[in-house]
Amino acid sequence: MSHLLTCQGLGKSFGAQRLFVNINLVINDGDRIGLIGPNGSGKSTFLNLVCNRMDPDEGKIVRRRHVRSAYLEQSDVFDEQASVVENLQAALDGCALDETERYNRVQALLSRAEFPDTSIPVQLLSGGWRKRLAICRSLVVQPDILVMDEPTNHLDIEGVIWLEKMLSGTLPESPNAFLLVSHDRRFLENTVNRVVELSAVYPEGSLQVEGGYSHFLKVRAEFLQQQQQLEERLANKMRREAEWLSRGPKARATKARYRIDEAHKLKGHLSEVKNRNRALKQVRIDFDTTGRKTKKLFEAIGISKGYEGRTLFSDLDIVLSPGTRLGLLGRNGCGKSTLMQIIAGSIDATGLKPDLGEIKLAPDVRIVSFDQKRERIDPNITLRRALAPGGDAVMFQDSSLHVVSWAQRFLFRADQLETPVGQLSGGEQARILIADLMRQPADILLLDEPTNDLDIPSLDVLEESLLDFPGALVLVSHDRFLLDSVCDQVIGFDGNGGVSYYADYEQWLADLKGLKNEEAGRATPVEERTSEKKNKSRVGKLSYMDQREYEQIEEKIQKAEEEHEHLQVLMDAPETISDPQKLKTVWEDLQQAQQRVEQLYDRWHELEEKKQSDG
């Protein structure tokens, strides 16, 4: 295996803040590395060191001769007046290529990126297409190491899946190796073969695990559990040694001098382990609810909306009740945020209204929104005023909390309270908005891209809090992991005015691409799903998941019966009858197999009755 780059004992600080120390990392051909860590751990700084855009305070980086690297920043800077093609061609100015090869590289990448028009100026591109162009620009030089900082930012789900394909290693344009920072857990699972986490919780400052993200989580959980157990063992041992040290001089004189030295070393070791375990802090997120028991909080009947002759969605029916968790899926600009604005504006006479259709609200319903553009944050006010606008205390769930305690809940230090909000990172600003949401009791929670800039530990806590929220939730997110975990139904936008209900994002994506296989299933159009009052035909009472189960259950029954028959033969075998212990084990397995067969038959009859009633 060929080493492309080796980091040896890297350390970096900014002023009094120490980001990381003694980080070692080797990048080889074929490595696909995901770099994660809490906000402020130094991930972007580490990428800058690897790309030679910054010098380390300690350690060194050794690069193989003639290694080419490319860096994809979070922000995209282009020649705004130049076209898509011209910007890519400009990226090759430093490469020794003839005109034919330059042309072929650019056109091949643009074809992979599926740009509808490559001649338009970059200034006319949406955020998602700008990100695709930035990715193409980093790939067109064919780097040996591609370094990417949050590459999925501004990409919709289709864009993220396209990027996964580009990084798969199966395409001519795929990089030999890459190092990326991302908080998209599904993206990490689908792309990387090694995960590196920067965190003060580890003795060496980082944890490096070969394998995908799910395997990393298992290894990480085991390590943290072992480190917690280590602290408990050291603490117990320290108590015994402290008791011995506290005895009189005569008792101590009978002991070896080395034991006194070892006791002091033990105290230092325990302190180090305690500090590492205390570094594992999480944002505490709890959304407040009004406790309303109303069955229907919000109902939209046949609503439509369009702009400048273009229909975003039409004839859409929605019912939001306590416990509803609805996801909105679609390309950038398809109308998801517009629908959120209509729901939010339904409680305000001046809010955005649909062009057609009717909206019904429960009396005095409370709707709270998360602003993905962060327009509510004044960059000039201090963190103190952003967290506690009314003074030095906030009211949360009928309790008064001092602003310092409230700030600590979101991992802000007391010495940050006078910092202007504009100087905080994107992740810190996102936590301010979530703090603002938590202070407002809600019946309906509208979250438009709440995961932007949040680190993975914060995403985990956000996910748990949303699952515990008893009100109605409407979520727009490109985080497929969060959508799968939280939402029990989604509305998919096709970009041409059509909307349908789906079981999950994979079904929506398959339908969008016109796939007609069993895995894709069949989407239930909105007008068929919620229009009994309009006397339209319905698809049936079998849900998408029920239909999939029905198609597979006969095969499951056959396998269960085969297992039961195998155990019955084993039960009657002479070697089983002559061994009491084996006989007992086989008999218990046989009973479980019999129960499994009966359960499958009961479920099959239940699905059959549903299907017949549909007809």
Side-chain angles (χ1 to χ4, degrees), residues 35 46-47 79 84 105 146 149 188 195-196 215 222 288 320 360 381 439 457 461 485-486 591 605-606:
L35 181 66
F46 187 83
L47 296 188
D79 182 344
V84 170
R105 278 199 193 183
L146 176 59
D149 197 354
L188 288 168
V195 179
V196 178
H215 178 63
E222 291 172 359
D288 200 2
L320 299 179
K360 297 180 180 179
I381 65 172
R439 290 190 296 104
V461 177
S485 301
V486 172
Q591 296 303 305
H605 288 312
E606 182 182 339

Side-chain angles (χ1 to χ4, degrees), residues 209-440:
V209 177
E210 296 289 340
Y213 180 68
S214 56
H215 178 63
F216 166 81
L217 290 179
K218 294 178 182 178
V219 175
R220 181 180 187 270
E222 291 172 359
F223 172 85
L224 294 177
Q225 183 181 17
Q226 291 170 0
Q227 185 160 267
Q228 191 65 47
Q229 292 170 349
L230 174 61
E231 179 183 339
E232 294 172 2
R233 290 197 302 270
L234 291 175
N236 290 333
K237 187 175 181 181
M238 190 64 230
R239 278 194 293 272
R240 293 194 298 269
E241 293 301 299
E243 181 183 351
W244 175 79
L245 287 172
S246 64
R247 294 174 185 171
K250 184 176 181 181
R252 289 177 55 180
T254 64
K255 308 297 182 182
R257 176 65 191 177
Y258 82 89
R259 183 172 175 182
I260 299 175
D261 295 336
E262 290 299 315
H264 289 295
K265 291 179 182 178
L266 174 63
K267 185 177 181 181
H269 189 193
L270 175 59
S271 178
E272 291 176 4
V273 174
K274 277 186 176 180
N275 290 336
R276 288 201 299 269
N277 286 339
R278 301 306 177 268
L280 189 64
K281 296 179 180 179
Q282 287 187 326
V283 181
R284 295 164 58 196
I285 301 175
D286 296 293
F287 294 106
D288 200 2
T289 180
T290 64
R292 178 193 293 270
K293 303 299 182 183
T294 309
K295 187 174 181 180
K296 285 186 180 180
L297 301 170
F298 171 96
E299 184 176 13
I301 305 169
I303 62 171
S304 303
K305 188 65 180 179
Y307 281 113
E308 300 178 352
R310 176 189 168 215
T311 300
L312 295 176
F313 52 84
S314 61
D315 199 22
L316 174 61
D317 296 345
I318 300 176
V319 174
L320 299 179
S321 303
T324 298
R325 297 192 186 96
L326 176 65
L328 304 184
L329 288 172
R331 297 184 176 104
N332 293 333
C334 69
K336 304 186 299 295
S337 295
T338 300
L339 178 57
M340 296 281 265
Q341 292 170 20
I342 289 175
I343 297 174
S346 61
I347 59 174
D348 184 354
T350 63
L352 187 65
K353 306 300 179 186
D355 298 333
L356 297 172
E358 180 184 2
I359 289 179
K360 297 180 180 179
L361 282 176
D364 302 320
V365 69
R366 298 285 297 273
I367 300 177
V368 175
S369 303
F370 181 93
D371 177 15
Q372 68 158 322
K373 296 180 180 179
R374 300 175 187 165
E375 293 172 349
R376 291 205 306 264
I377 297 183
D378 182 350
N380 299 312
I381 65 172
T382 63
L383 174 61
R384 179 188 298 273
R385 289 284 73 81
L387 291 175
D392 283 340
V394 299
M395 290 298 298
F396 175 64
Q397 295 181 348
D398 299 325
S399 298
S400 177
L401 296 175
H402 192 273
V403 65
V404 173
S405 299
W406 186 243
Q408 290 173 345
R409 190 183 189 104
F410 300 94
L411 304 187
F412 293 113
R413 304 184 309 274
D415 60 6
Q416 290 180 283
L417 289 175
E418 303 309 321
T419 304
V421 168
Q423 295 181 16
L424 299 175
S425 69
E428 289 170 326
Q429 292 184 16
R431 298 205 298 266
I432 292 173
L433 288 175
I434 291 176
D436 185 50
L437 279 186
M438 286 173 52
R439 290 190 296 104
Q440 306 174 57

Side-chain angles (χ1 to χ4, degrees), residues 81-184:
Q81 306 302 319
S83 69
V84 170
V85 170
E86 290 168 342
N87 270 276
L88 278 195
Q89 289 174 339
L92 293 173
D93 286 348
C95 302
L97 303 173
D98 59 37
E99 287 301 317
T100 300
E101 189 170 356
R102 287 167 62 98
Y103 176 84
N104 289 339
R105 278 199 193 183
V106 170
Q107 293 303 318
L109 265 175
L110 290 177
S111 176
R112 296 278 190 202
E114 304 171 357
F115 274 88
D117 185 356
T118 61
S119 63
I120 64 172
V122 171
Q123 64 183 357
L124 299 181
L125 295 178
S126 67
W129 285 108
R130 288 176 68 92
K131 180 59 74 172
R132 284 205 193 202
L133 181 59
I135 294 168
C136 288
R137 183 171 60 182
S138 65
L139 288 170
V140 75
V141 298
Q142 295 185 357
D144 298 298
I145 305 174
L146 176 59
V147 180
M148 296 170 283
D149 197 354
E150 294 288 359
T152 62
N153 279 2
H154 307 297
L155 290 178
D156 55 22
I157 290 181
E158 284 185 283
V160 175
I161 294 173
W162 165 81
L163 177 57
E164 289 176 357
K165 187 183 298 183
M166 296 301 295
L167 298 178
S168 64
T170 61
L171 302 177
E173 295 82 9
S174 299
N176 293 339
F178 64 75
L179 170 67
L180 62 85
V181 169
S182 178
H183 297 148
D184 188 325

Side-chain angles (χ1 to χ4, degrees), residues 486-550:
V486 172
C487 296
D488 50 22
Q489 58 180 328
V490 298
I491 294 177
F493 295 68
D494 65 11
N496 298 311
V499 283
S500 297
Y501 276 86
Y502 297 87
D504 52 36
Y505 83 88
E506 288 183 343
Q507 190 194 13
W508 163 76
L509 186 68
D511 190 59
L512 195 66
K513 293 187 174 182
L515 300 179
K516 302 298 181 183
N517 52 46
E518 289 184 1
E519 289 301 315
R522 185 188 186 282
T524 306
V526 173
E527 61 270 18
E528 295 179 357
R529 183 180 186 274
T530 57
S531 57
E532 286 181 315
K533 60 180 79 66
K534 300 178 184 178
N535 296 318
K536 295 182 180 178
S537 62
R538 299 190 60 184
V539 173
K541 297 181 181 178
L542 277 183
S543 69
Y544 166 69
M545 299 305 294
D546 283 346
Q547 182 63 38
R548 289 186 62 183
E549 184 181 4
Y550 179 79

Side-chain angles (χ1 to χ4, degrees), residues 28-39:
N28 303 300
D29 271 320
D31 279 348
R32 304 194 299 273
I33 304 172
L35 181 66
I36 65 174
N39 290 333

